[in-house]
Amino acid sequence: MDPLLVFPDPPPPELAQALDLGGWSWKSCGDPDAAMAQEPDEGWAGAVVAADVDPEAAFALCRRLRKGEMPLEPLLLLVGANQLEDLELRDDLFDDFCLTPVRPVELTIRLRHMFWRTGRGSRPDLVEYGPLALNVETYQAKIDGQPLDLTY
């Protein structure tokens, strides 16, 4: 899976930990220009934007990601409880939101739900080590994207 775009750079430690615990591939960027410059060839898988510390920069990034020729989705916005009223009239800038402080289980569930709602389904649980990837649900393995026969 392509990485998620994460804002800000560096992300809050609890967000980085929650993404790592959920097994998400991610890359943090500090501003819209960096996000566009560092975008992978296949594009970002989605975005997690923390707006609790610098809301103006976060909303500017969301606006840029959503108003371009290829709007990025899904986009999860992280806000503090005191910012809920700030979301009014900004519904077009995000697909879902989550309150900070981030809880790893809630973040994973919201991300999976957003991927499902945007037609990408939830991603399988993969164990990856270098070029080896094992789908723990189906026990199918691949090396460098090529199927690996695990029969004895």
Side-chain angles (χ1 to χ4, degrees), residues 47 49 62 65-66 72-77 93-96 114:
V49 178
C62 292
L65 294 172
R66 295 293 254 213
L72 179 65
E73 58 179 33
L75 195 152
L76 180 67
L77 187 66
L93 298 180
F94 59 92
D95 295 298
D96 197 1
M114 282 192 331

Side-chain angles (χ1 to χ4, degrees), residues 5-141:
L5 169 63
V6 175
F7 176 85
D9 185 26
E14 69 274 1
L15 174 57
Q17 182 181 25
L19 289 166
D20 289 342
L21 287 172
W24 299 96
S25 172
W26 59 275
K27 170 105 175 95
S28 61
C29 294
D31 60 66
D33 293 331
M36 299 307 151
Q38 296 177 23
E39 184 175 7
D41 292 337
E42 301 80 28
W44 298 108
V48 178
V49 178
D52 55 340
V53 175
D54 188 356
E56 292 310 313
F59 286 124
L61 175 65
C62 292
R63 203 169 290 107
R64 177 107 177 250
L65 294 172
R66 295 293 254 213
K67 301 300 181 186
E69 58 188 61
M70 295 289 292
L72 179 65
E73 58 179 33
L75 195 152
L76 180 67
L77 187 66
L78 305 178
V79 294
N82 60 340
Q83 294 177 287
L84 291 175
E85 289 181 0
D86 296 340
L87 300 182
E88 191 171 354
L89 300 177
R90 292 183 167 151
D91 296 333
D92 60 329
L93 298 180
F94 59 92
D95 295 298
D96 197 1
F97 70 92
C98 187
L99 293 179
T100 57
V102 174
R103 290 160 214 74
V105 172
E106 181 181 9
L107 181 73
T108 296
I109 289 170
R110 287 188 183 273
L111 285 170
R112 285 182 180 170
H113 181 70
M114 282 192 331
F115 277 105
W116 179 81
R117 274 193 2 224
T118 57
R120 295 197 230 164
S122 62
R123 64 186 178 85
D125 288 327
L126 297 178
V127 176
E128 297 178 275
Y129 184 76
L132 177 65
L134 174 67
N135 182 327
V136 296
E137 295 172 4
T138 63
Y139 298 105
Q140 293 178 337

